[in-house]
Amino acid sequence: MKSPVHRCRDVEHGRGQAGDGAGANCLQPEQRIPISKDVITSSSASAMWFIRDACGIVCAVITWLLVLYAEFVVVFVMLLPSKNLTYSIVNGTLFNTLAFLALASHLRAMCTDPGAVPKGNATKEYIESLQLKPGQVVYKCPKCCSIKPDRAHHCSVCKRCIRKMDHHCPWVNNCVGENNQKYFVLFTMYIALISLHALIMVVFHFLYCFEDDWTKCSSFSPPATVILLILLCFEGLLFLIFTSVMFGTQVHSICTDETGIERLKGETGKWGKVPCREAMQMAFGGPFSLSWCSPFTGLSCNKSPPEHVSVPQGEIIKEDIIEIPLN
């Protein structure tokens, strides 16, 4: 999430910077095309992914505590004391299901590799092993010394280049990129839904308590009940607005095939965009189905990355723009 403590960390390609050398200046514009992301795959596709960032860890813990607080107020302040058993069962089941899906989506977004490019593979031996055609140009990230696929950006928090990086979100303690954007979209959607549901229940509970005796509508004292409900109302309203905006922004980015960083840097039109329907299928893992709403399904329509092959060892190439064949 970009707000309220949004950190969109990126050190860009270095294309066209002074000091790239005369070799870059003699390249024709149509030749300066980075190699496809399908050639350079993530080195941690099957490994556990977790970013050790203090701010991100704190924000992630706060996210879980806020959801658990809403759970406490909804269950123990509003539903259990209710005299209407059907009302309590229906709303309790719905709220708990949405809260579980929200936390599961948060966990998947936080612990899924967003599309990190292997570090330190900008060596002559590795580039030669890619068997690229003469005239192609590849780009090296000066921060993590990796060969950057097209549309990859460097995140200074993750300390990696991320494919189709949208932004770094401290609330999920991870970048939002090619491999975990679905889970981030689901997280914002489910948080918005439980916020809306909680607000509706708070309104009904206030109306019920005003018509009845306050001492009978809650197991807590009237002042404590009012304070707990007001805090939940404030939390629900704040996160309903916040996550609804983020959900709409992410869906718009997917449909336009344009990440937040690309829009911010004005990089639009530098790649062949896909239609909205195809972009949504790529992001959510296939044709529209209920699996789109599940944080437990993978991205089956994405090309399976090849098994990890050790990068040939060698000295890191100094140039940021590398023309094939190598000198």
Side-chain angles (χ1 to χ4, degrees):
M1 304 179 188
K2 299 179 184 177
S3 172
V5 286
H6 164 63
R7 294 183 298 170
C8 187
R9 307 292 185 84
D10 173 66
V11 179
E12 199 15 57
H13 300 294
R15 306 177 190 181
Q17 291 181 348
D20 282 342
N25 296 329
C26 67
L27 299 176
Q28 297 299 324
E30 62 272 13
Q31 292 178 311
R32 298 177 61 177
I33 304 173
I35 58 177
S36 169
K37 67 178 178 63
D38 298 324
V39 177
I40 306 173
T41 58
S42 173
S43 62
S44 55
S46 61
M48 179 68 177
W49 179 272
F50 185 78
I51 301 301
R52 294 181 178 87
D53 176 56
C55 177
I57 294 174
V58 170
C59 288
V61 171
I62 290 175
T63 300
W64 278 64
L65 290 178
L66 289 172
V67 175
L68 293 177
Y69 171 77
E71 178 81 16
F72 169 79
V73 176
V74 167
V75 173
F76 293 98
V77 178
M78 292 189 287
L79 296 182
L80 289 182
S82 176
K83 299 176 182 178
N84 190 330
L85 182 61
T86 303
Y87 173 85
S88 297
I89 292 176
V90 171
N91 283 282
T93 302
L94 178 59
F95 186 87
N96 281 280
T97 300
L98 293 176
F100 171 75
L101 290 172
L103 293 179
S105 300
H106 181 272
L107 196 62
R108 289 300 301 271
M110 180 171 61
C111 297
T112 298
D113 177 0
V117 179
K119 295 176 68 175
N121 64 357
T123 64
K124 180 179 179 181
E125 292 79 5
Y126 178 66
I127 295 175
E128 289 177 344
S129 70
L130 298 177
Q131 299 180 348
L132 302 175
K133 297 179 181 179
Q136 276 193 285
V137 175
V138 294
Y139 297 90
K140 185 198 77 175
C141 174
K143 294 295 182 180
C144 59
C145 297
S146 64
I147 298 299
K148 299 179 71 170
D150 198 11
R151 303 183 68 182
H153 295 79
H154 185 86
C155 174
S156 61
V157 179
C158 298
K159 296 180 174 59
R160 300 288 289 273
C161 284
I162 308 296
R163 298 195 304 268
K164 292 184 70 174
M165 173 182 169
D166 187 86
H167 67 285
H168 183 92
C169 176
W171 297 105
V172 297
N173 188 35
N174 202 1
C175 276
V176 178
E178 182 179 68
N179 293 345
N180 68 342
Q181 189 170 29
K182 168 189 174 178
Y183 307 124
F184 182 75
V185 171
L186 292 180
F187 168 65
T188 58
M189 181 183 74
Y190 287 126
I191 290 294
L193 289 176
I194 65 173
S195 299
L196 177 62
H197 190 200
L199 285 173
I200 293 174
M201 285 191 291
V202 167
V203 171
F204 277 103
H205 197 74
F206 266 120
L207 293 176
Y208 169 73
C209 290
F210 279 131
E211 294 176 357
D212 202 353
D213 186 359
W214 273 89
T215 58
K216 297 179 180 179
C217 70
S218 175
S219 56
F220 294 85
S221 64
T225 300
V226 172
I227 292 174
L228 290 172
L229 291 177
I230 290 177
L231 289 176
L232 178 61
C233 188
F234 176 76
E235 176 191 346
L237 184 62
L238 176 64
F239 282 94
L240 173 61
I241 297 173
F242 181 36
T243 54
S244 296
V245 171
M246 287 303 304
F247 174 78
T249 301
Q250 289 298 304
V251 172
H252 178 265
S253 294
I254 294 173
C255 286
T256 57
D257 194 19
E258 181 182 48
T259 67
I261 285 184
E262 290 166 347
R263 190 180 305 108
L264 182 66
K265 292 180 172 292
E267 297 178 357
T268 58
K270 295 185 178 180
W271 60 90
K273 293 188 176 182
V274 298
C276 177
R277 181 188 182 95
E278 183 179 344
M280 291 293 289
Q281 291 179 354
M282 292 174 62
F284 284 86
F288 177 76
S289 65
L290 289 178
S291 64
W292 279 25
C293 301
S294 172
F296 304 105
T297 57
L299 307 180
S300 58
C301 76
N302 286 356
K303 294 182 178 179
S304 300
E307 295 183 2
H308 175 58
V309 179
S310 59
V311 177
Q313 299 297 318
E315 185 178 354
I316 300 295
I317 296 177
K318 296 181 180 180
E319 293 78 11
D320 292 341
I321 300 179
I322 307 165
E323 184 183 8
I324 307 300
L326 299 174
N327 294 327

